[in-house]
Amino acid sequence: MGPESPGSPTPGTSAVSPRSKSAGGGLGRYIVVRFLLIIPTIFILVTLVFFLMRSTGDPITAALGGRLSGAQLQERIHAAGYDRPILVQYFEYLGQIVTGNFGTSISDNRPITTILLTYGVATLELAFYALIVAFIVGIPLGMLAAYHRDKGQDAALRVFAILCYATPVFFAGILLKLVFSVWLNVLPVAGRASTSSELAMQFLPTKTGIYLIDAFQTGDPAVIADVLSHAVLPAITLGLLTAGIFLRLVRTNVIGTLSTDYVDAARSRGVSEYRLVRKHAYKPALIPIITVIGLQIALLLGGAVLTESTFEWKGLGFQLAQYLAARDFVAVQGIVALLAVIVALTNFIVDVIAALIDPRVRY
């Protein structure tokens, strides 16, 4: 054998291409940057909420004004520290959030962390159900619309998608309640479970607050069916809001994928149009869905306020509406701060998943 060239790898070592190193470094750098962006996002949202709430006055006067005498009101304001300069209150509030102290609600005197833990799981459970509805409705119908491009079925599905995300959530909820709860009487009108089911889940040794999990822990099929029946209408109401977006997004991306060279090559080999949509265009069309899930989580949490109020689903959205009506700005600040954290973390996770699936996202 001849002498090895200077550039050849030595025996026992493997050559690592500079492209592989740069790709790995690009992914790591992308994850770090996306993670660091969580901090300013939460900071800006918390700051905006704090000053917007204070723009109408101090929380004590807003919540209890008219129910206490002037002397009692001033005493409560001084005890809570709301008579100090606004910047002092602001920096103290930021320090409390860093330590996990979101304060105490004024209207019912409960720690905000307790409120968040009690009602947060209900909102996350509803958002999970709604995402399932969005996937089940939006993705198959989007593929069907792409398969029947520019035909009657496609036009009907596009109109359906527009109605899904253009119809106000509260109106869709009231309409569904009227049809399925009042006229047909096949589904519950409100709540997360019936009183008997809630009593059955009340004393579980490992209660999670997620009713579906707790219902399975009881081992009673009637409780499981009751919990699921209560979730149907709220999940459909909130899920259709996102399903319309998914439908149009999948349709657009499947149509775009069907015009690529490798699909044209498969079509020239005699592959049927149905198989092209199902086998070749389906997976590439899902990548944009993953990238927009983070944005849809924010939309779902916003829609949860109206959905929970419509169906009396006792979650953060329902409580947020109650505290806004009571002008309890301390509770509102705490709930919005938690929602900001959830949205920021969800966007980070989705960005990382999208970068792992599609390397083009990193650059």
Side-chain angles (χ1 to χ4, degrees):
M1 294 179 61
E4 297 179 354
S5 61
S8 61
T10 59
T13 62
S14 58
V16 179
S17 67
R19 184 179 181 83
S20 300
K21 290 183 179 180
S22 63
L27 176 61
R29 183 168 58 252
Y30 176 81
I31 292 175
V32 171
V33 170
R34 298 303 301 175
F35 181 77
L36 292 178
L37 285 175
I38 294 176
I39 299 174
T41 301
I42 296 175
F43 170 76
I44 291 171
L45 288 173
V46 168
T47 300
L48 285 174
V49 171
F50 179 88
F51 285 105
L52 285 174
M53 293 293 99
R54 292 298 194 278
S55 64
T56 59
D58 65 89
I60 301 293
T61 303
L64 302 176
R67 290 189 285 170
L68 298 176
S69 65
Q72 291 175 322
L73 201 60
Q74 289 302 318
E75 183 180 350
R76 291 286 297 271
I77 292 173
H78 180 73
Y82 293 125
D83 55 351
R84 295 174 299 168
I86 188 69
L87 288 179
V88 174
Q89 298 179 46
Y90 169 67
F91 286 113
E92 182 184 36
Y93 179 65
L94 290 181
Q96 291 175 345
I97 288 181
V98 171
T99 60
N101 178 16
F102 290 89
T104 303
S105 63
I106 298 171
S107 56
D108 52 12
N109 197 33
R110 286 194 295 174
I112 304 301
T113 50
T114 301
I115 296 171
L116 299 178
L117 293 174
T118 302
Y119 298 102
V121 289
T123 297
L124 292 178
E125 184 179 11
L126 177 58
F128 176 74
Y129 293 150
L131 271 179
I132 292 176
V133 172
F135 284 133
I136 292 175
V137 175
I139 293 177
L141 292 184
M143 294 177 62
L144 185 63
Y147 180 70
H148 296 287
R149 178 184 180 184
D150 297 331
K151 297 179 181 177
Q153 298 96 319
D154 180 27
L157 288 172
R158 279 187 286 172
V159 172
F160 172 73
I162 293 172
L163 290 175
C164 282
Y165 61 75
T167 303
V169 173
F170 68 90
F171 178 77
I174 293 173
L175 188 61
L176 289 173
K177 286 171 66 173
L178 183 64
V179 174
F180 293 100
S181 300
V182 178
W183 292 349
L184 300 179
N185 195 27
V186 294
L187 290 171
V189 69
R192 296 180 64 196
S194 62
T195 303
S196 59
S197 297
E198 289 186 342
L199 289 174
M201 296 182 290
Q202 184 67 35
F203 302 104
L204 289 172
T206 55
K207 185 179 179 182
T208 64
I210 301 175
Y211 273 21
L212 186 57
I213 295 177
D214 293 341
F216 275 104
Q217 288 191 69
T218 65
D220 188 346
V223 175
I224 298 172
D226 180 66
V227 169
L228 288 174
S229 66
H230 278 81
V232 170
L233 291 184
I236 292 176
T237 301
L238 189 56
L240 287 179
L241 177 68
T242 305
I245 298 173
F246 284 177
L247 193 160
R248 291 181 64 87
L249 194 61
V250 169
R251 175 191 176 274
T252 301
N253 284 279
V254 168
I255 290 174
T257 306
L258 287 175
S259 63
T260 56
D261 293 338
Y262 77 91
V263 173
D264 288 337
R267 187 182 286 115
S268 66
R269 293 195 301 269
V271 179
S272 67
E273 200 70 18
Y274 173 76
R275 185 176 177 83
L276 286 174
V277 172
R278 188 168 60 90
K279 291 291 186 181
H280 295 274
Y282 173 60
K283 290 183 180 179
L286 289 184
I287 293 177
I289 291 289
I290 296 173
T291 59
V292 301
I293 284 179
L295 297 176
Q296 299 313 309
I297 290 295
L299 181 64
L300 287 174
L301 292 176
V305 177
L306 295 174
T307 305
E308 291 179 1
S309 299
T310 302
F311 291 96
E312 297 182 23
W313 184 280
K314 301 298 178 65
L316 280 181
F318 180 83
Q319 287 301 119
L320 182 62
Q322 299 296 312
Y323 287 129
L324 281 170
R327 300 179 66 82
D328 191 338
F329 295 155
V330 176
V332 172
Q333 286 177 182
I335 292 175
V336 172
L338 176 69
L339 295 179
V341 172
I342 293 173
V343 170
L345 289 176
T346 303
N347 276 302
F348 168 71
I349 294 171
V350 169
D351 287 341
V352 172
I353 294 174
L356 292 172
I357 295 175
D358 187 1
R360 294 173 299 176
V361 175
R362 310 172 200 169
Y363 304 103

